[in-house]
Amino acid sequence: MTLGALAATGQGHHRGGVGVALPNVSRAPYAGYFGPDADTAKMLEQMLTDPSSGMDAPAAILVETVQGEGGLNVASAQWLRRVAALARKHGALLIVDDIQAGCGRTGPFFSFEDTGVIPDIVTLAKSLSGFGLPLAVTLMKPELDAWKPGEHNGTFRGNGHAFVTAAAALEKFWRDPEFENSLRERGRYLDRRLNDIADKHEEDELTVKGRGMIRGIDVGDGDLASEIVAAAFERGRVIETSGGNGEVVKVLAPLNIGESDFRRGLDILAEAVAEVLGSQTAVAAE
Amino acid sequence: MTLGALAATGQGHHRGGVGVALPNVSRAPYAGYFGPDADTAKMLEQMLTDPSSGMDAPAAILVETVQGEGGLNVASAQWLRRVAALARKHGALLIVDDIQAGCGRTGPFFSFEDTGVIPDIVTLAKSLSGFGLPLAVTLMKPELDAWKPGEHNGTFRGNGHAFVTAAAALEKFWRDPEFENSLRERGRYLDRRLNDIADKHEEDELTVKGRGMIRGIDVGDGDLASEIVAAAFERGRVIETSGGNGEVVKVLAPLNIGESDFRRGLDILAEAVAEVLGSQTAVAAE
Amino acid sequence: MTLGALAATGQGHHRGGVGVALPNVSRAPYAGYFGPDADTAKMLEQMLTDPSSGMDAPAAILVETVQGEGGLNVASAQWLRRVAALARKHGALLIVDDIQAGCGRTGPFFSFEDTGVIPDIVTLAKSLSGFGLPLAVTLMKPELDAWKPGEHNGTFRGNGHAFVTAAAALEKFWRDPEFENSLRERGRYLDRRLNDIADKHEEDELTVKGRGMIRGIDVGDGDLASEIVAAAFERGRVIETSGGNGEVVKVLAPLNIGESDFRRGLDILAEAVAEVLGSQTAVAAE
Amino acid sequence: MTLGALAATGQGHHRGGVGVALPNVSRAPYAGYFGPDADTAKMLEQMLTDPSSGMDAPAAILVETVQGEGGLNVASAQWLRRVAALARKHGALLIVDDIQAGCGRTGPFFSFEDTGVIPDIVTLAKSLSGFGLPLAVTLMKPELDAWKPGEHNGTFRGNGHAFVTAAAALEKFWRDPEFENSLRERGRYLDRRLNDIADKHEEDELTVKGRGMIRGIDVGDGDLASEIVAAAFERGRVIETSGGNGEVVKVLAPLNIGESDFRRGLDILAEAVAEVLGSQTAVAAE
């Protein structure tokens, strides 16, 4: 919610809370933004190459592999590789914002590992501390660190408590390759459950969004999504929405959630969807 | 070349001369920018409607009906009407920059007259004074004039000399509907001559651009266009280029140019093109 | 009235007509701004030297030798030399805005000639064309011209007509040193007349401001100044005000004004002041 | 270190790490900035009142009662009251940045309590959590909260752990008025010890800065201060510097520091100063 971060976000809601111009950022449509037939990577290339496009040469291209707040849209590996190549060609750094999709959320530790893309800068936060403590890091290639000593510090940087828990979480979970396998397994289970819900309400044209353990159901309408959230809340389940109009009910379960908890949570989601969408039949757990 | 105007231009060349951020402007692709199959008016609508697109609600939409410096691209009446409707729907003013395409350049006095679009603000300059004197005006609906007395004035506003010549030019030329007819006639002649040139060099895939008396030939390459300009200059003819890479040789003849002058000028252009593109046969005048 | 110029002006009235942030400019108090005992050049030095003052290292220091719109405040030669030295010491260019005070207005062609200061950039306009035509120039040391060809041009730059009249004016008036002598003579006459007016209304504490032929009377109150302007207008004399609250009645007569016209104009000003300030005795012409 | 905070800081060092313009902030000299004879509150009043000063009407005036990073300069109660009155008169909110000086650091919980000034907004952080956890709050009058629900939130706001420890700290320490008395007592002790050090090195013209438990010694030179810091570090004592050139050795001991720890820490500081300034005699503890 800082001026710099808000300059970079697409969300009008959050930008609206600022009251000053937020310059120095150009926007380009995400993968699939104009539908399956429009090649947005090619559009970006055209704008970067055309000296009259109005898009200044960027210092960096900032991208999520899965749009966390933007509706769980997923960029293909090919699209990401093309954007990475465009960044390199035009002298721009590639920044992957892995705050939501990183830390194993899509399976591997970094969400881009399977694509072959090597970002210049990666941002991480959320579950990084392994303990709910505030901890965010910006990883960068060493040659990019141009700050002078103490030029960008502050009282609460480098929280010692969070360093300890984050190190423990990395060592406990990521030392054993089995953890990544379990994440992929949980992701497949989640995919199956969400598709079950969508299938149960075929007439409502629900769309399952996201990847791995960052998933959701696009119910097409923010008000509907809010009703589902409220119905889940009545059943003791806190769940959030995502997307430009809050139309995606978003599942971001703990990565190490136990099997019964996960099942129970998704049962509640299924019941909430059924209640709101008026399904007659109870939704059976897997 | 002021900071405000440069903020609004797409041209990187001119923006590059500034050295400071030029904020408060979002850009959207022009009619046909992504090829004939991509509907850029629809793209703009999607971005304006999506609260998460990153495009702030605009105070105004600024558009040319024919892109003067941008390569003589022509927006269809339908595209302009859709953009005008989008502006109205989203509470934005519609500004038509008619500096190059206005004052009869496309036929009627305002370039948008045939489209049914009524802009809120229109900018005019160039041949407005009828005498080469510096004169530019910003027409606006009276209710939009929010300036206090003297809040936006200066020593050289309201140049008396140019007011006299501009009034004379308007009265002399535009009182008689015959003038507009003659413009349309000259436009047709120009169109024929440019297409003749393009046809003569079929293998070079030249494209005739523009509308009325704001026309040009896209030769596909800025260096080639510069050679043609140089060859015309050798023959006593000053001609300019347009387009992101200067790839369009641009014909902006005086609106009241005499028949023989016009023919001679276009003969020279044809000869220059022929010389540069290596045509064997002399190009005959009409 | 461009965004760049408005960013640099101190006048809130004109800045208020913009509606966007006008960044990249820091302000420092002018000579005498905080009274005769406060050394504003020293204050500027302190702020430029203190890394914690909040004033970024400037690319240039922009200054008038006499504040045209700011109330005809006059910087001493010593103050200007100190500011020039500060600019040099801190790697900033020195820009003298000589639009009002230049072209002989204070005696010599450039208002800073008598100070020994050599600016890096000088702006000139107003009477430069010698004919009321719009003409402004920015003089700069050749090594400062970093623009690429055509990067900062426009249709109405280099107005041919004004070039001819400006060259004629320079040659006619400035070839003969007698012209500069006559300017200094007129300035002395103007000074005498304005001081006569101030003396006549001693109880009103009028202050004569400015230098040479850029002079005025500070009547302490914008409303009072407006009444004097109106009273002069009733007598066929157009006169303007200056200063933050428009409290200075400003005399900017033509530099080559004839003796009788000048006397008559100042008689009218004296009468207008007398009428408004309620003087009993008629103000005699010199 | 966010763009918004950096826009507001005076420190060139931190601003230099940004690389973009930081607009929307005007600066005014702090109490005493131009020496004891210059009335900077009056200067601010002149600039706010003069429509031609170049200072836009502020939305808020942001001030510290003791400049934490700016060199432990102390504003008098009278100066703060005058600035508060100026804010009210000009329709600006008064924001007191109490991050360093608040939470009892100067004696009372808020550093401005003894002045009668009631800010519209107060910022608090640092020792607020009572436990070294990251916790910062912005207190504002309820009618100023114009944010929509969720418009300005984030994953790590409202850290539960810090809420618990902060509440405990407030209840444990501030419930008993004796705590505030003990702070004032510690402040007097600190004042005495620092003045002892300054007296011991009379020829070096050391100046004791700050108020209460936010104190330091201005040694006149950043390099000298760094040497003292290094000498203290050799003795097992971490101490920081403050001021535009880092010329103030800054004592920000824990508010509840025990008597022997406090004495030992100040002994070390005295020894470090003596070592660096070359004093022959050992500095005795109180």
Side-chain angles (χ1 to χ4, degrees):
Chain A
M1 293 298 132
T2 69
L3 288 194
L6 288 172
T9 187
Q11 286 194 288
H13 177 64
H14 290 303
R15 294 168 62 85
V18 176
V20 299
L22 296 166
N24 299 307
V25 175
S26 299
R27 290 164 213 294
Y30 195 68
Y33 185 72
F34 290 127
D37 296 332
D39 182 344
T40 57
K42 194 176 160 197
M43 288 177 179
L44 178 58
E45 179 166 23
Q46 181 174 338
M47 287 188 286
L48 287 175
T49 307
D50 175 5
S52 201
S53 69
M55 182 178 278
D56 292 317
I61 295 180
L62 170 60
V63 70
E64 285 176 293
T65 61
V66 181
Q67 289 190 311
E69 294 303 305
L72 305 182
N73 305 300
V74 176
S76 70
Q78 189 203 15
W79 189 89
L80 288 168
R81 281 192 293 264
R82 287 172 65 195
V83 169
L86 279 175
R88 208 164 34 243
K89 182 177 168 190
H90 290 274
L93 300 178
L94 181 71
I95 305 175
V96 171
D97 172 358
D98 232 14
I99 288 175
Q100 293 213 18
C103 293
R105 185 57 61 184
T106 66
F109 186 77
F110 293 110
S111 71
F112 48 82
E113 285 183 35
D114 297 343
T115 67
V117 165
I118 310 285
D120 299 289
I121 296 176
V122 180
T123 61
L124 289 172
K126 299 278 183 196
S127 47
L128 181 63
S129 79
F131 202 60
L133 293 170
L135 182 67
V137 299
T138 302
L139 306 173
M140 66 183 78
K141 293 183 176 163
E143 63 269 28
L144 297 178
D145 181 359
W147 277 303
K148 294 172 202 151
E151 197 178 34
H152 195 286
N153 67 358
T155 300
F156 293 139
R157 312 302 162 85
N159 183 256
H161 190 174
F163 277 3
V164 170
T165 56
L170 289 175
E171 281 166 10
K172 173 171 170 50
F173 292 114
W174 291 95
R175 181 160 293 175
D176 180 358
E178 192 44 47
F179 183 62
E180 189 172 327
N181 291 339
S182 78
L183 289 178
R184 297 192 190 257
E185 174 54 38
R186 280 191 190 86
R188 280 188 293 270
Y189 172 69
L190 176 56
D191 182 53
R192 198 159 61 242
R193 292 296 307 271
L194 296 182
N195 274 295
D196 282 350
I197 294 173
D199 291 346
K200 279 263 175 355
H201 304 276
E202 204 179 353
E203 70 289 359
D204 295 296
E205 298 187 353
L206 309 185
T207 312
V208 176
K209 306 285 295 280
R211 208 152 63 85
M213 289 287 279
I214 177 169
R215 304 298 299 250
I217 300 180
D218 184 339
V219 300
D221 184 272
D223 291 337
L224 206 58
S226 292
E227 286 178 52
I228 292 167
V229 164
F233 187 76
E234 289 293 316
R235 286 161 173 80
R237 177 84 175 82
V238 172
I239 193 162
E240 292 198 332
T241 60
S242 168
N245 295 295
E247 72 280 9
V248 179
V249 181
K250 182 182 176 187
V251 179
L252 244 83
L255 297 177
N256 61 347
I257 190 170
E259 196 181 321
S260 64
D261 276 355
F262 205 14
R263 181 186 303 122
R264 179 70 197 123
L266 290 165
D267 288 351
I268 288 176
L269 176 60
E271 291 162 23
V273 171
E275 178 188 315
V276 170
L277 295 182
S279 166
Q280 317 300 344
T281 58
V283 176
E286 175 212 30
Chain B
M1 293 299 132
T2 68
L3 287 194
L6 288 173
T9 187
Q11 286 194 287
H13 177 63
H14 290 303
R15 293 168 63 85
V18 176
V20 299
L22 296 167
N24 299 306
V25 175
S26 298
R27 291 162 212 293
Y30 195 69
Y33 185 71
F34 290 127
D37 297 331
D39 182 344
T40 57
K42 193 174 160 198
M43 287 177 179
L44 177 59
E45 180 166 22
Q46 181 174 339
M47 287 187 286
L48 288 175
T49 308
D50 175 4
S52 200
S53 69
M55 182 177 278
D56 292 318
I61 295 179
L62 170 61
V63 71
E64 286 176 292
T65 62
V66 181
Q67 288 190 312
E69 294 302 305
L72 305 182
N73 306 299
V74 175
S76 69
Q78 188 203 15
W79 189 88
L80 288 168
R81 281 193 293 265
R82 288 172 65 196
V83 168
L86 280 175
R88 208 162 36 242
K89 182 176 168 192
H90 290 275
L93 301 178
L94 182 71
I95 306 176
V96 171
D97 172 358
D98 233 14
I99 288 176
Q100 293 213 19
C103 293
R105 186 56 63 185
T106 67
F109 186 77
F110 293 111
S111 70
F112 49 81
E113 287 183 34
D114 298 344
T115 67
V117 165
I118 310 284
D120 299 288
I121 296 178
V122 180
T123 61
L124 289 173
K126 299 276 182 194
S127 47
L128 181 63
S129 80
F131 201 60
L133 292 170
L135 183 66
V137 300
T138 302
L139 306 173
M140 66 183 78
K141 293 183 176 164
E143 63 268 28
L144 297 178
D145 181 359
W147 277 303
K148 295 172 202 151
E151 198 179 32
H152 196 286
N153 67 357
T155 301
F156 294 139
R157 312 302 162 86
N159 183 257
H161 191 173
F163 277 3
V164 170
T165 57
L170 289 174
E171 282 168 8
K172 174 169 169 48
F173 293 114
W174 291 95
R175 180 161 295 174
D176 180 358
E178 193 44 47
F179 182 62
E180 189 172 328
N181 291 339
S182 78
L183 289 178
R184 296 192 190 258
E185 174 54 37
R186 279 190 191 87
R188 282 189 292 270
Y189 172 68
L190 176 54
D191 183 50
R192 200 159 59 242
R193 291 298 306 272
L194 296 181
N195 275 295
D196 281 351
I197 293 173
D199 291 347
K200 279 263 173 2
H201 304 276
E202 205 180 351
E203 70 289 2
D204 295 296
E205 298 188 351
L206 309 185
T207 312
V208 176
K209 307 285 294 281
R211 207 152 65 85
M213 289 287 279
I214 177 170
R215 305 298 298 252
I217 300 180
D218 184 339
V219 301
D221 182 274
D223 291 337
L224 206 57
S226 292
E227 286 180 51
I228 293 168
V229 164
F233 187 76
E234 288 293 315
R235 286 162 173 80
R237 178 85 174 80
V238 172
I239 193 163
E240 291 198 335
T241 60
S242 168
N245 295 296
E247 71 281 9
V248 179
V249 181
K250 182 182 177 187
V251 179
L252 245 83
L255 297 178
N256 62 346
I257 190 171
E259 196 181 320
S260 63
D261 276 355
F262 205 14
R263 180 186 305 122
R264 181 68 198 124
L266 290 166
D267 287 353
I268 288 176
L269 175 60
E271 290 162 23
V273 172
E275 180 187 314
V276 170
L277 296 183
S279 167
Q280 318 300 345
T281 59
V283 176
E286 176 213 34
Chain C
M1 293 297 133
T2 68
L3 288 194
L6 288 173
T9 188
Q11 287 194 287
H13 177 63
H14 290 302
R15 294 168 62 85
V18 175
V20 298
L22 296 166
N24 298 306
V25 175
S26 299
R27 291 163 212 293
Y30 194 69
Y33 185 73
F34 290 127
D37 296 332
D39 182 344
T40 57
K42 193 175 161 197
M43 287 177 178
L44 177 59
E45 180 166 22
Q46 181 174 339
M47 286 187 286
L48 288 175
T49 307
D50 175 4
S52 200
S53 70
M55 182 177 278
D56 292 318
I61 295 179
L62 170 62
V63 70
E64 286 177 292
T65 62
V66 182
Q67 288 190 311
E69 295 302 305
L72 306 182
N73 306 300
V74 176
S76 69
Q78 190 203 11
W79 189 88
L80 288 168
R81 281 192 293 265
R82 287 172 66 196
V83 169
L86 280 176
R88 206 162 36 241
K89 182 177 168 191
H90 290 274
L93 301 178
L94 182 72
I95 305 176
V96 171
D97 172 358
D98 231 14
I99 288 175
Q100 292 213 18
C103 293
R105 185 57 60 186
T106 66
F109 186 76
F110 294 110
S111 70
F112 49 82
E113 287 182 35
D114 297 344
T115 66
V117 165
I118 310 284
D120 299 288
I121 296 177
V122 181
T123 61
L124 289 173
K126 299 278 183 195
S127 47
L128 181 63
S129 80
F131 201 61
L133 293 170
L135 182 67
V137 299
T138 301
L139 306 173
M140 66 182 77
K141 292 183 177 165
E143 63 269 28
L144 297 178
D145 181 359
W147 276 303
K148 293 173 202 151
E151 197 178 33
H152 195 285
N153 68 357
T155 301
F156 293 139
R157 313 303 163 83
N159 183 255
H161 191 172
F163 276 3
V164 170
T165 57
L170 289 175
E171 281 167 9
K172 173 169 170 49
F173 293 114
W174 291 95
R175 181 160 293 174
D176 180 358
E178 194 44 46
F179 182 63
E180 188 172 327
N181 292 338
S182 78
L183 290 178
R184 296 193 190 256
E185 174 55 36
R186 280 191 190 86
R188 282 189 292 270
Y189 172 69
L190 176 55
D191 182 52
R192 202 160 59 241
R193 291 296 307 273
L194 296 182
N195 275 295
D196 281 351
I197 294 173
D199 290 347
K200 279 267 175 359
H201 304 277
E202 205 179 351
E203 69 289 0
D204 295 295
E205 297 188 351
L206 308 185
T207 311
V208 176
K209 306 285 295 281
R211 206 152 66 86
M213 289 286 278
I214 176 170
R215 304 298 297 253
I217 300 179
D218 184 339
V219 301
D221 183 272
D223 291 336
L224 207 57
S226 293
E227 286 179 52
I228 293 168
V229 164
F233 187 75
E234 288 293 315
R235 287 162 172 81
R237 178 82 176 80
V238 173
I239 194 163
E240 291 197 334
T241 60
S242 169
N245 294 295
E247 71 281 9
V248 179
V249 181
K250 181 183 176 188
V251 179
L252 245 82
L255 297 178
N256 61 346
I257 191 171
E259 195 180 321
S260 64
D261 276 356
F262 204 15
R263 180 187 303 122
R264 180 68 197 123
L266 291 165
D267 287 352
I268 289 176
L269 176 60
E271 291 161 23
V273 171
E275 179 188 314
V276 171
L277 296 182
S279 169
Q280 319 299 346
T281 58
V283 177
E286 177 216 31
Chain D
M1 294 296 133
T2 69
L3 287 193
L6 288 172
T9 187
Q11 286 195 287
H13 177 64
H14 290 303
R15 294 168 63 84
V18 176
V20 300
L22 296 167
N24 299 307
V25 175
S26 299
R27 290 164 211 293
Y30 195 70
Y33 185 72
F34 290 127
D37 296 331
D39 182 344
T40 57
K42 193 175 160 197
M43 289 177 179
L44 178 58
E45 179 166 22
Q46 181 174 337
M47 287 188 286
L48 287 175
T49 307
D50 175 4
S52 201
S53 70
M55 182 177 277
D56 293 318
I61 295 179
L62 170 61
V63 70
E64 285 176 292
T65 62
V66 181
Q67 289 189 310
E69 294 302 305
L72 305 183
N73 306 299
V74 175
S76 70
Q78 189 203 15
W79 189 88
L80 288 168
R81 281 193 293 265
R82 287 172 66 196
V83 169
L86 280 175
R88 206 162 38 241
K89 182 177 169 192
H90 291 275
L93 301 178
L94 182 71
I95 305 175
V96 171
D97 172 358
D98 232 13
I99 289 175
Q100 292 214 18
C103 292
R105 185 58 60 186
T106 67
F109 186 77
F110 294 110
S111 70
F112 49 82
E113 286 184 36
D114 297 343
T115 67
V117 165
I118 310 285
D120 299 288
I121 296 177
V122 180
T123 61
L124 290 173
K126 300 277 182 195
S127 47
L128 181 62
S129 79
F131 201 61
L133 292 170
L135 182 66
V137 299
T138 301
L139 305 174
M140 66 182 78
K141 292 182 176 166
E143 63 268 28
L144 298 178
D145 181 359
W147 278 302
K148 293 173 202 148
E151 196 178 33
H152 196 285
N153 67 357
T155 300
F156 293 138
R157 312 304 162 85
N159 183 256
H161 191 173
F163 276 4
V164 170
T165 57
L170 289 174
E171 282 166 9
K172 172 169 171 52
F173 294 114
W174 292 95
R175 179 161 293 175
D176 179 359
E178 193 46 45
F179 182 62
E180 188 172 328
N181 291 339
S182 78
L183 290 178
R184 296 192 190 257
E185 173 55 36
R186 279 191 191 87
R188 281 189 293 270
Y189 172 68
L190 176 55
D191 183 52
R192 201 161 60 242
R193 290 297 306 271
L194 295 181
N195 275 293
D196 282 350
I197 294 173
D199 291 346
K200 278 266 175 356
H201 304 276
E202 205 178 351
E203 70 288 0
D204 295 295
E205 298 187 352
L206 309 185
T207 313
V208 176
K209 307 285 294 282
R211 209 153 64 85
M213 288 287 278
I214 176 170
R215 305 299 297 253
I217 300 179
D218 184 339
V219 300
D221 182 274
D223 292 337
L224 206 57
S226 293
E227 285 180 52
I228 293 168
V229 164
F233 187 75
E234 289 293 315
R235 286 162 174 79
R237 177 84 175 81
V238 173
I239 193 162
E240 292 197 334
T241 60
S242 169
N245 295 295
E247 72 280 9
V248 180
V249 181
K250 183 183 177 187
V251 179
L252 245 83
L255 297 178
N256 61 346
I257 189 170
E259 195 182 321
S260 64
D261 277 354
F262 204 14
R263 179 187 305 122
R264 179 67 196 126
L266 290 165
D267 287 352
I268 288 176
L269 175 61
E271 291 162 21
V273 172
E275 178 188 315
V276 170
L277 295 182
S279 168
Q280 317 302 342
T281 59
V283 177
E286 175 213 31

